Amino acid sequence: MVSSKLTYMAVDPPLGYLMHRLHMALRSEITDTVLGPLGLTFPEYICLRMLSHSPGASNAELARNISVSRQAMNLVLRGLQDRGLVRRPPTAEKGRARPAELTAAGSKLLGRTDSGVRAAEERILATLSGADRAQFRRILAALI
């Protein structure tokens, strides 16, 4: 029965399985070659990237968009804040949400990841032709 399951996976793997495998391969490549040498984890990188596009996002907003718990995101934000890469006000103006934004150091560090992340993406997609890579990106963008 195990072999028939493996055959099924090889012939017609579920989309979620394929997306997970791609995510793990890309995450590993980016972490090993780009983020690790800069002292960043993948969740920290994603947080910095999201704040570059949505300055002032709250912990809860970031957690929802990254699909992690608020507690996990708070740990990421606190670590980035302690390193001077993100700033949040000490208290919330209203409610409990404290908007986060990149500092100049955070923006600079994020900028240092760009070419390396693109290179890692290209290595992961190396088996595809240039036209297939462009189509793959268009398809992914259409799906999300």
Side-chain angles (χ1 to χ4, degrees):
M1 187 176 243
V2 171
S3 62
S4 66
K5 207 178 230 186
L6 292 176
T7 303
Y8 164 75
M9 293 296 278
V11 173
D12 188 21
L15 179 61
Y17 171 78
L18 293 173
M19 297 299 290
H20 174 73
R21 293 292 307 267
L22 178 61
H23 165 77
M24 294 308 293
L26 185 59
R27 180 179 178 151
S28 177
E29 182 70 21
I30 289 171
T31 299
D32 292 348
T33 63
V34 181
L35 304 179
L38 295 175
L40 282 175
T41 65
F42 197 77
E44 289 171 334
Y45 165 73
I46 295 298
C47 184
L48 292 175
R49 177 66 56 206
M50 290 193 67
L51 286 173
S52 74
H53 293 289
S54 300
S58 69
N59 179 58
E61 291 168 327
L62 292 166
R64 259 191 313 277
N65 288 324
I66 300 175
S67 297
V68 298
S69 71
R70 288 188 309 269
Q71 294 84 356
M73 182 51 59
N74 193 47
L75 289 173
V76 169
L77 279 170
R78 269 195 276 168
L80 292 170
Q81 192 173 357
D82 290 348
R83 292 173 53 196
L85 303 173
V86 168
R87 84 176 128 252
R88 295 188 290 176
T91 59
E93 286 185 27
K94 54 185 170 182
R96 296 188 317 180
R98 295 186 307 153
E101 59 184 27
L102 294 179
T103 62
S107 292
K108 183 177 179 181
L109 182 60
L110 184 60
R112 291 178 57 199
T113 67
D114 290 340
S115 63
V117 168
R118 291 291 181 180
E121 291 170 353
E122 291 303 312
R123 285 190 297 276
I124 293 295
L125 300 175
T127 60
L128 301 177
S129 70
D132 286 346
R133 288 179 205 181
Q135 182 177 8
F136 181 65
R137 286 179 188 277
R138 282 192 300 275
I139 290 168
L140 285 176
L143 292 173
I144 56 174

